[in-house]
Amino acid sequence: MLVNRDDVVNYVTRNYEVKPDYPWQNFPHFATLRHNKNKKWFGLIMNITEDKLGLKSFEEVDVLNVKVDKAFIGPLTKKKGIYKAYHMNKTTWITINLREIS
């Protein structure tokens, strides 16, 4: 089973009662996932080109940026489809290429 952006949204809505919001007019497909109480982000769903992940393709993919404990960054980025964060603090965030995760 492949994972897509709808799967992510459905999962966080069902399990955490979090609905994504879309704060940027210039990026209408970028969805933030925020904690209900403090409104801080814990996730960001974006459509970007694969070259932004260091891959040799300009094909557009959906990615999920997730905030994680610093201790897990190194081990996680050794797994297929998980990268140092695109456009976020690389010491506390990772990027998951949803196309590569199953």
Side-chain angles (χ1 to χ4, degrees), residues 13-30:
T13 300
R14 184 174 57 253
N15 291 288
Y16 301 101
E17 297 179 5
V18 169
K19 297 243 183 210
D21 63 79
Y22 299 84
W24 301 286
Q25 282 186 334
N26 291 347
F27 301 99
H29 300 291
F30 283 27

Side-chain angles (χ1 to χ4, degrees), residues 17-77:
E17 297 179 5
V18 169
K19 297 243 183 210
D21 63 79
Y22 299 84
W24 301 286
Q25 282 186 334
N26 291 347
F27 301 99
H29 300 291
F30 283 27
T32 60
L33 304 171
R34 302 173 190 258
H35 292 281
N36 285 322
K37 290 184 180 174
N38 64 16
K39 301 302 180 196
K40 289 187 177 184
W41 297 8
F42 64 87
L44 175 63
I45 304 169
M46 301 177 286
N47 53 313
I48 63 172
T49 54
E50 288 186 315
D51 64 301
K52 291 181 171 64
L53 300 174
L55 302 174
K56 295 182 181 193
S57 169
F58 293 97
E59 191 169 346
E60 192 172 277
V61 293
D62 284 332
V63 298
L64 171 64
N65 279 6
V66 181
K67 191 167 191 179
V68 298
D69 187 286
K70 292 178 185 182
F72 296 115
I73 298 286
L76 283 172
T77 57

